[in-house]
Amino acid sequence: MARWTPGARERLQQAALDLFATHGYDKVTVAEIAEAAGVTERTFFRHFDVKREVLFIGQDEFAGAFLTPIGDLPDEQTDPGTIVLAALAGACDFFPDDRRPFSRARDAIIDAEPALQERELLKLAGLTDSLTRAMSVRGIDPQRARLAAETATVAFRTTFATWIADGENRSFRAVLDSVLADLTVLADGMAAHPPIS
Amino acid sequence: MARWTPGARERLQQAALDLFATHGYDKVTVAEIAEAAGVTERTFFRHFDVKREVLFIGQDEFAGAFLTPIGDLPDEQTDPGTIVLAALAGACDFFPDDRRPFSRARDAIIDAEPALQERELLKLAGLTDSLTRAMSVRGIDPQRARLAAETATVAFRTTFATWIADGENRSFRAVLDSVLADLTVLADGMAAHPPIS
């Protein structure tokens, strides 16, 4: 029972989510998570520094899903729209359909705990900063880079919220396309007005 | 010296900002702020519950600057772009040119203190929620309402960051117009690509 098995990390995450959902995040101990996953506490701590990390591990892969496709673009590519679209398309690969039940359960637990919400907000703020930097190093001016990064983060958050909604069964990509279509309509609606000043 | 004078609140805020900038937010006491403003501590606490509120008072007026113009729109107005533009135009009135030195100083202090940054993020998250609700009650679907509210918040944040930048002297409205122009170009750039899915 104590030996390391492939997939222990995923089993620990799943066991933790089930326990958090049943008993509440605060009430569940690492010992209980390890027991439910059929491993020792030592194995738990081989994968996660603290209990909370069972919900936040994989943050580098998450950021990488956005940033790797930007790195793959030619250096001459300096159109913010093209760059953030590449990042968003990459993010889709991180959310295949079979990840949806996990994402849904994770979100419900985070939603119930202000401290976890803050952690999640920081994670997304970090993503926005990374996207801004990835554009700045291409020479895009700071205002445009930040606006594009923030808008991409908003598109991601909105897509994610719809994708995990009850009864939603479209793919992440299909939802993202509908969000981007809404964004175009929104921007056109705003552009149709005379300047504010 | 102890009597209440009109404008005491503003003098206390200005004195606090000056002291925070010189000595650091943590090092400054309420007694020192009151003394610098020429009032008693009692007068300070007539205006602010705790030291931190000297930086966050007026939050209702801030939210009101966005929400009042939405309330003034006819009930039949259900275009998200029109609604958030009205909100952003209202926000401009909250940031006249003579407020810029105060906003700049306040931002520098918040930027230096993680706890104050969190408070500021929460304030903006609250604004996004209020804008979403103001659209939802008009029957706008949740995804469109949230996307428009988040996009408006992004436009506001980007405008604010440019408006307080060193050497910037365009009005808040003029900067907002340039941000909205960038946003249109960004959305058009994203829309010019084929669907992701």
Side-chain angles (χ1 to χ4, degrees), chain A:
Chain A
M1 167 174 142
R3 78 203 152 88
W4 186 86
T5 51
R9 176 172 132 174
E10 289 70 25
R11 276 190 296 134
L12 281 161
Q13 288 188 294
Q14 191 57 59
L17 279 185
D18 293 344
L19 288 166
F20 295 161
T22 310
H23 305 292
Y25 173 79
D26 270 345
K27 297 274 194 300
V28 176
T29 65
V30 165
E32 289 165 340
I33 297 169
E35 196 194 338
V39 301
T40 60
E41 278 191 67
R42 245 182 78 158
T43 301
F44 180 95
F45 287 115
R46 213 174 291 148
H47 292 279
F48 311 101
D49 289 339
V50 293
K51 183 175 79 172
R52 196 183 59 180
E53 287 314 296
V54 90
L55 295 168
F56 290 97
I57 200 108
Q59 204 168 322
D60 290 349
E61 292 96 321
F62 170 75
F66 290 82
L67 295 169
T68 304
I70 298 181
D72 291 343
L73 294 172
D75 290 346
E76 307 78 62
Q77 180 54 262
T78 56
D79 174 55
T82 303
I83 293 170
V84 295
L85 261 192
L88 287 167
C92 292
D93 296 335
F94 198 74
F95 297 99
D97 281 353
D98 61 9
R99 192 191 182 93
R100 179 149 34 191
F102 177 87
S103 292
R104 220 171 237 158
R106 178 182 176 278
D107 191 74
I109 288 152
I110 288 174
D111 212 39
E113 282 288 328
L116 297 175
Q117 286 171 33
E118 268 175 31
R119 179 77 172 73
E120 184 77 351
L121 279 177
L122 277 178
K123 181 178 110 175
L124 288 173
L127 172 67
T128 307
D129 289 344
S130 299
L131 290 170
T132 304
R133 269 195 305 275
M135 285 181 277
S136 297
V137 296
R138 286 171 186 259
I140 296 170
D141 88 59
Q143 177 175 308
R144 281 203 185 108
R146 175 137 304 262
L147 183 69
E150 298 247 20
T151 303
T153 305
V154 162
F156 166 73
R157 285 174 56 169
T158 308
T159 300
F160 186 82
T162 297
W163 183 65
I164 62 166
D166 284 344
E168 178 61 58
N169 53 29
R170 288 174 295 168
S171 70
F172 200 91
R173 282 169 200 280
V175 177
L176 175 58
D177 276 331
S178 87
V179 168
L180 294 177
D182 284 351
L183 183 63
T184 308
V185 172
L186 175 68
D188 285 351
M190 290 167 85
H193 288 259
I196 287 172
S197 58

